[in-house]
Amino acid sequence: MKNLKKLLVASAIATTTMSASNISVKIGYDNMKFGDISDSGASIAMVSSKANKGFAYELGYVQGDILAITKFGAIYNWKVSDNFYTGLNINAHGINFTSNNNTNSSSFIGYTYGLQGKYAINKNNNIGLSYSTGTATDNDTGVISEDLSIASIAYSYRF
């Protein structure tokens, strides 16, 4: 919950530096695989872009039972048809892992890259799917490295 508050503060700062028509809020559900651990949870993100197509920045947070992931990344979308867009994404991640019995906690940093597709219902409403894969390394030791993959479904609203 503490990370969610940080995300909302960062999002508020980002919102004040950009015009409102460039900001979207994305709410979704993510399925995460981190090494041999699978988790899922709700996600929230702020996306800044001039239009559905082109370059965008994304700041987001996912909270599962075991994993909490903060991400900052870039997206490039292009138009396929009137309402359908496809794109590429790359993200930097901060990951907090807590064991099932809450006895141990570790932090990792990493990256993912992947594909996404979205359908523009109208100018302000979109639904999308994305899949990203990458790796993360233990922040404290720098030794342990784990594979990371995230599949998402999300709804976004442009202000």
Side-chain angles (χ1 to χ4, degrees):
M1 193 60 154
K2 187 179 1 173
N3 287 338
L4 182 58
K5 290 178 184 176
K6 288 179 187 177
L7 172 65
L8 294 175
V9 169
S11 299
I13 292 168
T15 303
T16 60
T17 62
M18 300 173 224
S19 75
S21 64
N22 295 344
I23 301 294
S24 296
V25 173
K26 186 163 79 171
I27 298 169
Y29 184 78
D30 292 18
N31 187 17
M32 305 165 282
K33 183 150 176 59
F34 181 61
D36 57 359
I37 299 164
S38 291
D39 198 4
S40 56
S43 63
I44 185 170
M46 291 290 269
V47 179
S48 169
S49 65
K50 294 226 177 226
N52 278 323
K53 62 182 181 177
F55 192 69
Y57 296 101
E58 181 175 18
L59 176 64
Y61 180 74
V62 184
Q63 177 67 59
D65 292 329
I66 299 170
L67 299 172
I69 299 178
T70 304
K71 69 179 178 179
F72 177 74
I75 303 164
Y76 188 82
N77 287 316
W78 58 90
K79 192 173 190 175
V80 176
S81 67
D82 284 343
N83 293 358
F84 183 71
Y85 299 82
T86 189
L88 303 172
N89 63 55
I90 186 165
N91 291 288
H93 295 281
I95 303 164
N96 187 43
F97 162 76
T98 305
S99 64
N100 280 330
N101 57 10
N102 290 322
T103 58
N104 141 1
S105 180
S106 300
S107 61
F108 290 75
I109 55 173
Y111 68 92
T112 59
Y113 55 91
L115 301 171
Q116 64 182 38
K118 71 178 177 176
Y119 178 77
I121 299 165
N122 57 38
K123 180 181 173 189
N124 295 332
N125 296 277
N126 297 286
I127 52 175
L129 298 169
S130 68
Y131 177 78
S132 300
T133 186
T135 189
T137 304
D138 188 300
N139 200 29
D140 297 325
T141 66
V143 176
I144 300 171
S145 186
E146 297 284 354
D147 291 334
L148 172 66
S149 62
I150 303 172
S152 304
I153 184 166
Y155 164 79
S156 64
Y157 179 80
R158 178 178 306 282
F159 292 95

